[in-house]
Amino acid sequence: MRNNLSRILGERLLKISDIYKATGISRSTLTEIYYQRATNIQLETLQKICDYLQIPLSALIEYEPKKLEVK
């Protein structure tokens, strides 16, 4: 699973502090997401980020399922 927060912010010339000020999400949480170190992100947090950026969740988070070996 990969998030695109850093890419999106870079493209829009936004900073973590911009999201923090607009949403109230803690800077430490945003930093963990930005650097892809967060492991358990609350859905409410993702929703606030998506609402602020006006993007669907699928644009923020990418998931490619692992290929399972069929026996």
Side-chain angles (χ1 to χ4, degrees), residues 10 15-16 28 31 38-39 43-44 58 60 65:
K15 300 176 186 173
I16 289 173
S28 60
T31 300
T39 54
L43 289 175
E44 182 181 352
S58 60
L60 181 63

Side-chain angles (χ1 to χ4, degrees), residues 4-21:
N4 296 313
L5 183 61
S6 61
R7 181 183 56 79
I8 294 167
L9 293 185
E11 289 171 354
R12 297 182 183 194
L13 302 176
L14 294 170
K15 300 176 186 173
I16 289 173
S17 60
D18 297 326
I19 299 176
Y20 161 72
K21 290 174 187 174

Side-chain angles (χ1 to χ4, degrees), residues 45-56:
T45 300
L46 294 174
Q47 182 180 2
K48 286 181 181 180
I49 293 170
C50 288
D51 288 345
Y52 174 74
L53 296 172
Q54 292 294 291
I55 59 172

Side-chain angles (χ1 to χ4, degrees), residues 21-71:
K21 290 174 187 174
T23 65
I25 300 169
S26 74
R27 287 177 190 248
S28 60
T29 297
L30 291 168
T31 300
E32 291 292 311
I33 297 169
Y34 182 89
Y35 289 107
Q36 299 191 23
R37 295 186 296 229
T39 54
N40 294 315
I41 307 169
Q42 292 184 1
L43 289 175
E44 182 181 352
T45 300
L46 294 174
Q47 182 180 2
K48 286 181 181 180
I49 293 170
C50 288
D51 288 345
Y52 174 74
L53 296 172
Q54 292 294 291
I55 59 172
L57 181 58
S58 60
L60 181 63
I61 303 293
E62 290 182 32
Y63 177 72
E64 291 186 34
K66 293 180 182 178
K67 295 184 181 186
L68 299 177
E69 293 183 26
V70 180
K71 293 183 180 182

